[in-house]
Amino acid sequence: MEYFEEFAELIESEEKISYEDIYAAVKDSIPEDLGEIVENYFEESLNGVPDEEQQIYMLIENIKSGLLFLCENLEDDATLSQFTEEVERFRNWYTDEDLVVVDGKHCCIAEAIATARANKITGETSVFDFTGALDYELNDFNFSIGSFKKIDIVGDDDEDLENSETNNIN
């Protein structure tokens, strides 16, 4: 998956998309690129959430954070599988036609957000009820110790560490 539009279509398509199809679309992606696509997609979606709907905003923000966390280690088969499961679960939730009510009519979250975004442009107003969409259980993400990248906290030089220790003694 190389493009924002591909990810958006994967998430928002009305067609049934299997776990296997999602896995195939994701497995050959460059993790950094996919992470950027995921981040851009969610930012675009979050920008459309009505200002007064902070609970759904925070829930979608937390889902985004979880997916971005998983993007950090997609080379690992277990993490790739977990990412695929989370994308599938998010997709099913985001496109469920019974979770949101806009102006008295049921629709999916994606449609409600599109309506809110259009309202911001046109100046129209709608009544949104995202209550049915708030029942989304956030999963804990598990990684093996080898999944994390080594970071240099002090600096590249051992001298920096020695100077730091000497300065802290005084």
Side-chain angles (χ1 to χ4, degrees):
M1 185 164 311
E2 296 180 50
Y3 302 104
F4 175 92
E5 293 79 11
E6 292 173 312
F7 189 76
E9 179 65 24
L10 176 74
I11 297 297
E12 297 172 9
S13 174
E14 293 180 8
E15 295 179 28
K16 173 76 173 127
I17 299 177
S18 70
Y19 169 91
E20 292 78 15
D21 290 338
I22 296 170
Y23 187 91
V26 171
K27 77 173 184 150
D28 293 326
S29 299
I30 298 169
E32 294 81 18
D33 292 348
L34 185 58
E36 185 176 327
I37 291 167
V38 168
E39 184 163 14
N40 290 338
Y41 178 81
F42 276 87
E43 287 303 316
E44 182 75 21
S45 294
L46 288 166
N47 286 334
V49 173
D51 294 337
E52 63 277 1
E53 297 294 341
Q54 290 303 304
Q55 286 182 305
I56 196 72
Y57 182 95
M58 291 306 300
L59 180 56
I60 294 171
E61 179 71 34
N62 286 330
I63 295 166
K64 176 189 90 170
S65 296
L67 289 173
L68 289 175
F69 186 68
L70 291 170
C71 280
E72 294 290 320
N73 193 36
L74 289 178
E75 295 88 4
D76 176 67
D77 288 338
T79 305
L80 178 58
S81 292
Q82 190 174 14
F83 178 83
T84 302
E85 289 169 13
E86 291 301 316
V87 167
E88 179 182 40
R89 197 163 73 89
F90 171 74
R91 180 190 181 288
N92 291 337
W93 171 77
Y94 199 65
T95 59
D96 186 328
E97 293 288 333
D98 294 324
L99 295 181
V100 181
V101 178
V102 178
D103 295 330
K105 298 177 186 173
H106 280 85
C107 66
C108 66
I109 299 164
E111 187 177 336
I113 289 175
T115 300
R117 185 180 296 117
N119 287 354
K120 288 179 181 181
I121 295 169
T122 65
E124 293 181 34
T125 58
S126 297
V127 176
F128 297 91
D129 181 1
F130 284 91
T131 306
L134 297 176
D135 189 24
Y136 186 97
E137 185 177 330
L138 296 171
N139 286 338
D140 295 328
F141 302 113
N142 300 312
F143 292 94
S144 64
I145 296 296
S147 297
F148 296 100
K149 297 176 184 172
K150 180 182 174 186
I151 59 171
D152 189 1
I153 296 173
V154 176
D156 291 331
D157 298 333
D158 289 334
E159 185 178 304
D160 289 342
L161 180 59
E162 290 171 11
N163 288 339
S164 169
E165 290 172 351
T166 303
N167 292 337
N168 288 336
I169 294 174
N170 297 332

